[in-house]
Amino acid sequence: MAQARRTTESRRLSGLTIHISRGLREAALFVLLAIALFLLTALVTYHVDDPGWSHTGPRDAIHNLAGVVGAWFADVLFSLFGYLAYLFPVMIAYSGWLVLRGSRADGDIDYHILAVRWGGFFLTLATGCALASLHFVISPDSLPLDGGGILGRWLGDALASVLGLLGSTLLLLAMFLAGITLFSGLSWLGVMDMIGAWMLSAYEWASGRIHRMIEYRQEIREGEQAKQQRVEKIVRAETKKKEQPKKPVRIEP
């Protein structure tokens, strides 16, 4: 009896633990989504005249919808990472999804997978910044530095001085794709298979449409020819009927 009571109590505590863990993961998701939305708002409404980390500006006219704090964070992220700063809200929201979903058999958070995703994110961020600094020229009034920020300029210049523009671009592009794979779990071979399947489906659909269109036009042509033949037969019959001599009418006395 005591053992059965302990088993029931253990099950009740286990269910309560799972319920609490689920609630904490949902709360973490909402908090991370709010942070991601705040950062996204700050980045989208960034203005070069707002006070920030790289320069000072008037505090009585803040253009950023996230306020002074949002303007400061946007200036820091754009100064360090350029346009790749937009990856931070994406990664934070994605982390919330990973926390909510859980990856272990007991539904708990798998911190190893989370660490791999963040490692892939930083690899994607660094290589993307370097590629942006090497190949994209932007207006000096749009961002504090350039498209890749301080990180991109430092890493891109360091690799270009050793490997040249072509070699550094190839290396950075390979590492960028590898970082996306680690970050999102995306398989590029799977993507190529998917694109191939879509292309085959599109080819089959287009060829079917073209074949049906050809058949439809052929049916219309055949119908017009049959109609023309019937009209010609009627015209020939009427012409032949008109050409036949009329029989004289005999009047009986």
Side-chain angles (χ1 to χ4, degrees), residues 59-91:
R59 292 181 176 271
D60 54 349
I62 303 297
H63 302 85
N64 200 304
L65 295 180
V68 178
V69 177
W72 194 87
F73 272 108
D75 187 66
V76 169
L77 293 176
F78 278 136
S79 298
L80 293 177
F81 310 111
Y83 281 123
L84 274 297
Y86 285 106
L87 287 179
F88 276 93
V90 175
M91 186 60 206

Side-chain angles (χ1 to χ4, degrees), residues 7-63:
T7 303
T8 304
E9 184 70 16
S10 177
R11 290 178 179 176
R12 186 180 68 82
L13 291 176
S14 177
L16 182 61
T17 302
I18 294 174
H19 180 72
I20 293 175
S21 177
R22 177 75 179 183
L24 290 176
R25 292 201 304 271
E26 289 182 359
L29 172 65
F30 294 140
V31 171
L32 292 174
L33 286 179
I35 295 174
L37 184 60
F38 174 81
L39 286 179
L40 182 62
T41 302
L43 293 173
V44 171
T45 59
Y46 168 79
H47 196 277
V48 292
D49 294 332
D50 289 338
W53 173 67
S54 62
H55 66 281
T56 58
R59 292 181 176 271
D60 54 349
I62 303 297
H63 302 85

Side-chain angles (χ1 to χ4, degrees), residues 220-250:
I220 292 178
R221 191 180 301 110
E222 292 176 353
E224 292 177 351
Q225 291 177 356
K227 181 179 179 181
Q228 184 67 23
Q229 290 176 359
R230 288 194 299 269
V231 171
E232 290 177 356
K233 287 182 179 180
I234 293 174
V235 171
R236 285 198 299 268
E238 291 180 353
T239 304
K240 186 176 181 180
K241 185 177 180 181
K242 290 179 180 180
E243 291 177 353
Q244 287 180 355
K246 295 182 179 180
K247 294 181 179 182
V249 179
R250 296 179 62 183

Side-chain angles (χ1 to χ4, degrees), residues 176-178 180-181 186-193:
F176 181 78
L177 297 178
I180 291 178
T181 299
L186 180 68
S187 173
W188 293 107
L189 295 178
V191 171
M192 288 189 288
D193 290 339

